[in-house]
Amino acid sequence: MSKRYERLMKCYESFKAKVDFTPKIALILGSGLGDYADGIDIKATLDYKDIEGFPVSTAPGHKGRFVFGYVGDVPVVIMQGRVHYYEGYPMEDVVLPVRLMKLMGAEVLFVTNAAGGVNWHFECGDFMLINDQICMAPSPLIGENLDELGPRFPDMSEIYSKKLRDIVKKSARDLDIPLREGVYIQLTGPNYESPSEVRMVRTLGADAVGMSTACEAIAANHMGMKTVGISCISNLACGVSNRPLSHAEVQVTADRVAPLFKKLITASVQNIAKEL
Ligand code: HPA
């Protein structure tokens, strides 16, 4: 057994010793969106710091725990706070939680994030269903392959499941919530982009830019986990808007749209679970 896999198993054993719960869907909540977890039917929580070998996030606005519970009758595990590459963790640590949630039993990864709008048509507060991604951060699969989890050279032709995307689209339609669609690009951060960088990523085909998610989606796909993702366009990227960016602005927008976002997540989770 490789050292990497051994570490993951240690985390898993730590979880098993403390929590008796099998989630179907794993959710990661982005900046300002974390309090969704406080509103579900919580059965257990597990602080990251209480898991042996688990990376602990330092980003402002991010709590550091797993929440286990039910959205309707769907058993879920929610990451309240994620670990970012820009915090200085190796990619292996950044995606360890996703791998752990798969081992817990989750079949689907539902990712959310706050992102900058690159597409000229986007507005602050929009939701964007991620239909594909560009990962400009290093691949989380670099290094010895975890053969126990997936293949050395995994296919990435449908990182965001078409079937699950269709379910989210229908859920949004039923709720009358406008939903954009587009490509998410992950840069390393932590600095926001320059106007020229925003122009570059637009030229590359990105609609929204952020500092997370793509690496997590790669790790999930590596393990054969179906993935779906929604970005909250918390600000217009640099050059799209001519105001300087701040984390406070990201937070304020996320807070403003949180009630609608919660509705969309709840409906989507329940509709996805019906198809599993
Ligand atoms: N750029 C990168 N990451 C982000 C942004 C942005 O404009 N907004 C929220 N996360």
Side-chain angles (χ1 to χ4, degrees):
M1 203 192 293
S2 71
K3 279 241 151 35
R4 287 178 131 185
Y5 193 66
E6 232 170 71
R7 176 180 176 204
L8 183 62
M9 288 315 288
K10 244 200 196 113
C11 290
Y12 177 67
E13 278 153 23
S14 202
F15 151 76
K16 277 307 258 186
K18 293 179 170 118
V19 178
D20 179 21
F21 193 87
T22 307
K24 254 196 165 148
I25 298 182
L27 286 122
I28 306 180
L29 301 175
S31 288
L33 307 168
D35 75 347
Y36 176 76
D38 299 323
I40 71 161
D41 175 16
I42 297 177
K43 294 298 174 200
T45 62
L46 180 59
D47 287 351
Y48 299 156
K49 64 174 169 41
D50 295 332
I51 306 171
E52 205 186 326
F54 196 89
V56 178
S57 171
T58 59
H62 285 256
K63 284 189 188 165
R65 61 176 192 168
F66 286 114
V67 174
F68 303 89
Y70 290 88
V71 171
D73 59 357
V74 185
V76 300
V77 53
I78 301 183
M79 281 188 79
Q80 218 170 13
R82 52 151 64 91
V83 179
H84 299 86
Y85 186 59
Y86 63 71
E87 292 175 73
Y89 293 101
M91 267 301 176
E92 181 189 346
D93 287 22
V94 176
V95 301
L96 186 144
V98 175
R99 291 175 166 158
L100 182 56
M101 292 193 290
K102 168 77 159 58
L103 294 183
M104 290 174 185
E107 299 163 46
V108 166
L109 176 67
F110 198 138
V111 272
T112 69
N113 57 54
V118 170
N119 186 314
W120 290 113
H121 300 291
F122 286 4
E123 284 169 36
C124 209
D126 279 351
F127 298 134
M128 184 192 87
L129 179 66
I130 306 174
N131 59 21
D132 199 8
Q133 69 179 34
I134 301 170
C135 187
M136 297 276 271
S139 169
L141 306 182
I142 290 174
E144 191 184 351
N145 186 48
L146 289 172
D147 293 328
E148 297 89 345
L149 300 182
R152 169 78 291 189
F153 301 109
D155 173 64
M156 292 286 147
S157 54
E158 196 183 306
I159 297 181
Y160 297 90
S161 155
K162 165 92 170 59
K163 188 171 156 192
L164 299 192
R165 278 186 274 142
D166 286 344
I167 295 172
V168 173
K169 278 196 244 184
K170 181 171 186 317
S171 307
R173 255 196 324 270
D174 290 348
L175 288 167
D176 230 358
I177 296 175
L179 187 62
R180 312 278 198 165
E181 214 181 317
V183 174
Y184 177 92
I185 190 164
Q186 177 179 0
L187 304 186
T188 65
N191 53 290
Y192 292 116
E193 302 69 36
S194 70
S196 299
E197 286 165 340
V198 171
R199 214 163 37 243
M200 173 186 77
V201 302
R202 186 182 302 113
T203 306
L204 294 177
D207 297 289
V209 58
M211 306 175 193
S212 65
T213 301
C215 56
E216 294 154 345
I218 290 173
N221 271 255
H222 176 237
M223 298 181 290
M225 235 175 150
K226 283 202 167 63
T227 303
V228 67
I230 305 174
S231 292
C232 166
I233 305 300
S234 55
N235 57 278
L236 299 179
C238 187
V240 180
S241 137
N242 48 21
R243 278 187 301 136
L245 291 185
S246 71
H247 189 66
E249 178 187 353
V250 169
Q251 206 85 31
V252 165
T253 307
D255 287 347
R256 174 168 66 78
V257 298
L260 215 53
F261 185 75
K262 287 175 188 172
K263 276 192 197 163
L264 180 56
I265 302 272
T266 299
S268 300
V269 164
Q270 289 178 310
N271 291 332
I272 287 169
K274 280 184 214 151
E275 297 293 321
L276 294 181

